[in-house]
Amino acid sequence: MPTLKTATILGAGAMGSQLGLLCAESGLDVKLWDISNEALDKGNELINTHLDRRVKKGRLTAEKKDDFLSRIEFTLDMKAATENTDYLIEAVIEDLDIKHKVLKEAHEHAPKHAVFGTNTSSTLITDIAAGIPEPERVIGVHFFNPPGTMKLLEVIYGDKTSKETAEITGQMGETLGREVVYCVKDTPGFVTTRLLGAIVNECVWAAEWGEADIIEIDAAVKYRLGMPMGMFELLDLLAGGGISVQYHVGKYLTEKLGDSYRNPPMVDKMFEQGHLGKDSGRGFYVWSDGKTNEVPFKLARNVDPIRFFAPLVNEAAKLVENGFMTKEDLDKAMIMGLGYPRGPLRMADSMGLDKIVEEVNRLRATHAEERYEVSPMLAELVSEGKLGRKTKEGFYSYGPGEFELITLDVDKETKVGTLTINRPQRANALNMDCFAEIAEALHIIEADDDVRCLVLTGVGRNFSAGADISMFASGDLDEMIHFVHPLQDLLTRFETLPKVVIAAINGACLGGGLELAIACDLRVAVEGALLGFAEGNLGLFPGSGGTQRAARLIGLARAKEMIFSAQPIQADKALEWGLVNTLANKSEFGEVVQKTAQAMADKACLAQGIAKRVMYYGEQCDQRTGVFLEGSSFPPVILSEAANEGITSFYYRRKPRF
C-alpha cells in the first residue's frame, strides 16, 4: 500500500477549503484546485480566517499557521494539481454532470495509484464513478461539516470499488485523524443522510397530519430523545437553508427509492415560497424582528417521541439487515456525525423493540405507506422475545458484563477494579441505563474476591457533567418518583460496598456527577477540575442525596453555598474545603490514583468493609430521613415553571430569567 504524502482537493468552496486545511494539518502536501481565481481567493481567505481565529485564541502559534499554509498550493491547472497526487477528494457542487466533468479531467492526469474520493452526502457513488474509465478507483468519503472538528468519516463503496481503494481510504481516514465507518453497499443517501431524512420527514408528516404542533414536536425530539435540536429547528438553522437541502434530498430519494420517501407537502411549499430558514427570515419558524424561537422544555410532555423515532429505527434496521452497514458502525455514525446522544439501535433496545414494532404497525395501518412496513429483522427479534434491555437481548446483547455506557476492568495483580463512565460525547452524563450498568458492575465487584478497591472515573475530559436532562422530560411525576429513590439507593450502595471506592475526578464533576463522587469513600482530583452542584442554574436542586451528603462532608454552610449559588469551585478550593482528599497535576494524576488505590488494596479488606459500614450506619441517625425527603421533594420541582425556564435557557446558552 503506497504511503500517503500528497492530496488534491477539487473545489475550493467552504467544504473543499476546510478539507485542504485538514490535510495540511495532518502533514500532507496539498493542491487546492478550482476553476477561477475568485473561487481560489475565497478558499484562501476562508483558510486564513480560520487559522487567524485559532492564533488569536492561543490555540495555534503563528509558526504553525505558516507551516500549514506552506503545505497548500492553490492552482487553476488540473494537470499541476493531480499529476503527482496520492489521493484526490472531489468537493464540487452536488451536480452529477459537473462531478463527471471534473473527475474525467482529473483522471487524465492523475497517477495510476491515486484514489478518487468523492465528498457527496447523498448521490450514489456508482453513478459518480461512471464518469471515469476506472470506477474501481472511486469511493465515497462523506466528511461532516465542519470537517476540522467533526471527527466522523463515512466511507461508501460503489458497486465496483476495489478492496485496495477501500484500504487506502481507510489509511487516509487514519492520517486525517477521523473515526471511519463503512457503508459497504451503495444506497441513496447512504446511512447518515438517509436516517436524518427519515426522522425529519416523520416530524414534518406528524405536523402535516395535525398530530401535534411544530414546537411540541421539536420539544419532544430535543428534550426527550436528547437530540441537539428539534428537527424543525435544525432545518431552519442550517447555514444556507436546511429546507432547501431537505427538499433536494427528498426529491433524490423519491426518484431512487419510491414515492413513500417523498417530501411532505409542507417542505415543497416552503421551498417554492423561498422560506428556507433563518437565513431567509422565515422557515418553519418566523425569524424576523429578532425572534429567537426557543423551544420550552415543558412542551416535551405533550408528545411521545416514539412517533418519530420508531420509523427511524425501522429504517435503520432495514439498512443493517440488507448489509449496508454494521449495527455498530451505524450507531457510531449517528452519534459522531449527527450528535445523537446514543446510537438509535441502542436507544431502541432501551425503549423496547416491541414498542417500536407496535408503533410502526400503527402507522402502517393508519397511513398505508410502504416505509412503515416493519423490517423483517425487527419483526424476528420481537417474535423471538428479544425485546432489548428488558429481556437482556435485542439488537445487542446485555448479558453479565456486557456494558454500553461504562467499562469495567479488573487488575488481578493489584486487586484494583476500575469502573469508567463511557459517554464522552455527552460529557459522561448519567441516565437510567448508565445507572443500571453501574449497579450491575457493583454486583460484580462485590462478588469478586480478587478486587479489594474500586476506582470510579470518566472517559475523556469529564468525570461526569451530571444527569441527562432527557430523564426528566416526560413530565410523569410517578415515573420520576419511581427512579429517584432507586437512584438514591444506588448511591448508598457505594457507601456500604464492603470495599473502598475512590472517585478519580479527571475533569468536570457537576450535578449528579458530584453526587456520585461524594458517595465514594475517597476523592482524588486533577488540578483544574471543576466541582459543583449546577442544578440551581436549571431551577432544580440535587435530588440523589447531594443535599445530605454534602452537608455531612463539608459542613452545612459550605454545602449551602455550593447548592444555592450553583457555582462550581476549582479543585484546589475543593481540597481546602475537604470535598476532595488529594490533588494531583495532570501528568501525575493517573499515578497518584493508582498509588492511592494500591494503598487501600494492600490492607485487610474485611476490616475495611466492616469499618465502612460501621461508620455509615453510625452516622445515619437522620440521613436516611433526609435522603427520603430530598427524593420525595425533587420530582415536583422538575415540573415547575422555574425548571422549565432553567432547562430551556441551559439548552439555548443564555442566563435564566427566574
Side-chain angles (χ1 to χ4, degrees):
M1 190 180 299
T3 301
L4 298 176
K5 296 180 180 179
T6 60
T8 297
I9 311 299
L10 303 175
M15 178 60 82
S17 60
Q18 291 179 89
L19 288 175
L21 177 57
L22 175 61
C23 290
E25 290 174 326
S26 303
L28 300 175
D29 292 325
V30 182
K31 300 286 180 68
L32 194 54
W33 172 91
D34 214 312
I35 58 173
S36 71
N37 282 315
E38 181 183 8
L40 293 177
D41 289 344
K42 285 183 178 178
N44 194 357
E45 182 181 353
L46 282 169
I47 291 171
N48 274 278
T49 299
H50 178 76
L51 291 174
D52 287 340
R53 190 181 305 122
R54 288 165 58 189
V55 170
K56 186 176 181 180
K57 291 181 178 180
R59 297 174 182 172
L60 185 72
T61 65
E63 291 76 18
K64 270 292 184 183
K65 173 194 168 183
D66 291 340
D67 176 55
F68 294 154
L69 290 175
S70 71
R71 291 181 172 276
I72 304 173
E73 180 182 336
F74 298 85
T75 182
L76 300 172
D77 187 335
M78 180 66 82
K79 181 180 180 182
T82 59
E83 62 183 354
N84 295 312
T85 196
D86 296 316
Y87 204 101
L88 298 94
I89 301 177
E90 170 270 305
V92 302
I93 64 172
E94 291 284 311
D95 183 299
L96 191 57
D97 290 337
I98 292 175
K99 288 181 182 292
H100 281 169
K101 180 180 178 181
V102 168
L103 287 174
K104 182 179 179 182
E105 185 179 358
H107 181 266
E108 292 174 359
H109 305 292
K112 285 292 182 182
H113 70 271
V115 167
F116 293 80
T118 173
N119 180 52
T120 176
S121 60
S122 59
T123 306
L124 285 166
I125 306 306
T126 303
D127 290 349
I128 295 173
I132 68 170
E134 298 174 283
E136 65 275 10
R137 294 169 64 185
V138 179
I139 194 166
V141 284
H142 181 199
F143 289 89
F144 289 73
N145 199 15
T149 55
M150 297 292 285
K151 296 293 186 182
L152 185 71
L153 173 59
E154 186 180 21
V155 172
I156 310 100
Y157 290 52
D159 288 352
K160 295 184 179 180
T161 298
S162 70
K163 181 180 178 182
E164 182 182 14
T165 294
E167 288 175 350
I168 293 172
T169 300
Q171 181 188 349
M172 183 65 167
E174 184 177 332
T175 299
L176 300 182
R178 303 303 92 181
E179 289 281 346
V180 182
V181 296
Y182 293 92
C183 186
V184 296
K185 290 168 64 176
D186 207 3
T187 186
F190 321 135
V191 170
T192 51
T193 302
R194 175 105 156 248
L195 294 183
L196 175 60
I199 191 169
V200 166
N201 262 1
E202 289 307 322
C203 289
V204 181
W205 278 119
E208 187 86 48
W209 290 332
E211 297 172 26
D213 292 338
I214 284 174
I215 197 166
E216 292 176 320
I217 295 169
D218 266 357
V221 170
K222 185 184 186 78
Y223 298 117
R224 295 182 68 173
L225 290 181
M227 303 300 184
M229 297 184 191
M231 295 298 103
F232 297 101
E233 271 190 305
L234 176 66
L235 292 186
D236 271 13
L237 294 175
L238 279 175
I243 292 170
S244 177
V245 173
Q246 184 68 16
Y247 173 83
H248 289 293
V249 169
K251 291 291 185 184
Y252 182 72
L253 293 182
T254 302
E255 175 190 338
K256 296 294 183 180
L257 297 174
D259 188 61
S260 186
Y261 289 83
R262 70 192 182 281
N263 288 319
M266 192 182 292
V267 171
D268 290 348
K269 181 179 179 181
M270 296 185 75
F271 176 79
E272 290 160 4
Q273 292 178 343
H275 300 320
L276 305 181
K278 186 175 182 180
D279 289 349
S280 68
R282 180 176 175 184
F284 290 104
Y285 297 95
V286 176
W287 295 94
S288 57
D289 301 323
K291 289 186 173 67
T292 57
N293 295 309
E294 291 183 355
V295 178
F297 173 72
K298 65 181 179 181
L299 294 183
R301 307 165 197 166
N302 298 353
V303 180
D304 188 339
I306 198 170
R307 160 63 185 91
F308 330 111
F309 190 67
L312 166 69
V313 173
N314 193 47
E315 192 72 11
K318 291 175 183 177
L319 290 168
V320 171
E321 72 189 358
N322 288 310
F324 292 106
M325 186 176 279
T326 66
K327 62 187 179 187
E328 293 83 3
D329 269 5
L330 185 146
D331 273 350
K332 180 200 271 190
M334 299 302 282
I335 292 170
M336 299 196 67
L338 298 178
Y340 275 46
R342 296 161 69 187
L345 302 181
R346 287 284 193 182
M347 292 170 70
D349 276 352
S350 293
M351 285 186 179
L353 301 189
D354 51 337
K355 293 182 179 179
I356 297 292
V357 168
E358 181 182 351
E359 179 62 15
V360 175
N361 279 330
R362 185 192 70 81
L363 290 167
R364 175 69 171 172
T366 304
H367 301 293
E369 295 279 0
E370 185 181 343
R371 65 180 177 278
Y372 299 137
E373 190 70 39
V374 173
S375 145
M377 171 186 279
L378 259 178
E380 183 177 356
L381 287 171
V382 171
S383 69
E384 293 175 352
K386 298 175 181 178
L387 309 182
R389 281 182 174 266
K390 60 187 174 185
T391 60
K392 303 298 184 184
E393 189 170 0
F395 285 112
Y396 296 90
S397 176
Y398 300 91
E402 293 182 297
F403 300 120
E404 171 198 357
L405 304 172
I406 68 168
T407 60
L408 181 62
D409 299 299
V410 172
D411 188 326
K412 299 290 186 181
E413 184 176 340
T414 64
K415 298 188 181 301
V416 174
T418 302
L419 194 168
T420 307
I421 305 166
N422 187 23
R423 295 190 74 197
Q425 73 282 356
R426 299 289 283 188
N428 294 328
L430 304 162
N431 64 11
M432 292 310 295
D433 286 336
C434 188
F435 288 129
E437 291 188 359
I438 290 172
E440 183 182 340
L442 292 184
H443 281 301
I444 293 171
I445 290 297
E446 186 166 5
D448 191 339
D449 293 335
D450 288 327
V451 179
R452 293 186 174 182
C453 178
L454 176 65
V455 173
L456 175 67
T457 192
V459 166
R461 300 178 297 173
N462 299 282
F463 177 80
S464 171
D468 194 320
I469 296 297
S470 63
M471 291 196 299
F472 312 127
S474 70
D476 188 316
L477 187 60
D478 291 337
E479 181 181 306
M480 280 184 276
I481 291 173
H482 178 73
F483 73 68
V484 166
H485 291 303
L487 176 54
Q488 292 177 330
D489 291 340
L490 172 63
L491 298 193
T492 299
R493 285 195 60 204
F494 280 90
E495 296 174 304
T496 58
L497 189 78
K499 300 173 184 186
V500 177
V501 184
I502 300 169
I505 301 172
N506 55 305
C509 180
L510 305 172
L514 182 54
E515 292 190 272
L516 187 58
I518 63 177
C520 298
D521 300 306
L522 304 173
R523 283 154 294 283
V524 179
V526 68
E527 287 181 348
L530 291 175
L531 297 87
F533 294 111
E535 290 90 343
N537 294 320
L538 307 180
L540 306 174
F541 66 88
S544 301
T547 60
Q548 308 301 302
R549 292 188 179 92
R552 284 161 174 74
L553 186 62
I554 60 176
L556 190 59
R558 293 297 194 196
K560 284 182 175 180
E561 182 178 344
M562 291 191 72
I563 291 170
F564 296 163
S565 72
Q567 295 301 308
I569 60 174
Q570 292 279 346
D572 55 350
K573 181 177 283 191
L575 178 67
E576 177 188 332
W577 286 8
L579 192 61
V580 301
N581 303 84
T582 308
L583 196 60
N585 64 45
K586 189 174 182 180
S587 62
E588 297 175 348
F589 178 68
E591 182 182 352
V592 170
V593 170
Q594 186 58 41
K595 283 184 177 179
T596 305
Q598 194 63 65
M600 299 299 110
D602 288 343
K603 303 300 184 294
C605 189
L606 176 63
Q608 287 176 334
I610 294 175
K612 269 188 68 170
R613 293 182 178 186
V614 167
M615 286 188 282
Y616 172 74
Y617 287 109
E619 197 183 29
Q620 295 312 303
C621 298
D622 63 351
Q623 179 169 315
R624 290 305 300 165
T625 302
V627 166
F628 177 81
L629 290 172
E630 179 190 283
S632 300
S633 303
F634 181 80
V637 175
I638 197 71
L639 302 180
S640 69
E641 279 299 321
N644 170 61
E645 167 61 16
I647 293 171
T648 303
S649 67
F650 169 75
Y651 273 83
Y652 289 94
R653 294 179 172 83
R654 62 167 174 81
K655 187 176 181 179
R657 297 184 287 269
F658 292 127

